[in-house]
Amino acid sequence: SSDVCSSDLVTATTAAWLTGIPRAECSHMLMDSIDFNVQCSVTYLKRLHDRRGSWAVALGEYNTGYPVVNEYARKALKREPW
């Protein structure tokens, strides 16, 4: 068991979406394996980067969620989201 809980990196729902492993199993794997947790996090960040085309935007979305990033694009950048 690690000192990192699943909410520190990715959720079981996100891990299940990324891996195809059932959510309940992902929940246990995230709590028991820091390697699985980090692997899911890196995969998720890579997908965000591929979609957004920017590491800064991908990290922003990872930390705040896409609604916040989209709202920032509309208000601050005065353009539609990516």
Side-chain angles (χ1 to χ4, degrees):
S1 179
S2 71
D3 292 335
V4 179
C5 69
S6 61
S7 64
D8 290 332
L9 296 174
V10 296
T11 66
T13 301
T14 300
W17 171 70
L18 291 169
T19 65
I21 297 170
R23 186 182 176 283
E25 189 176 340
C26 282
S27 181
H28 294 292
M29 291 172 72
L30 288 168
M31 300 220 353
D32 293 339
S33 172
I34 188 66
D35 292 336
F36 180 72
N37 211 320
V38 170
Q39 180 183 8
C40 288
S41 298
V42 169
T43 300
Y44 186 43
L45 273 171
K46 174 77 170 93
R47 286 189 184 187
L48 292 174
H49 177 263
D50 290 347
R51 182 172 66 204
R52 299 296 194 175
S54 162
W55 283 111
V57 175
L59 288 167
E61 183 170 337
Y62 182 89
N63 287 320
T64 64
Y66 70 87
V68 174
V69 171
N70 289 346
E71 189 65 20
Y72 171 78
R74 283 188 196 97
K75 287 184 176 179
L77 302 178
K78 299 187 188 315
R79 68 177 199 186
E80 283 305 303
W82 292 260

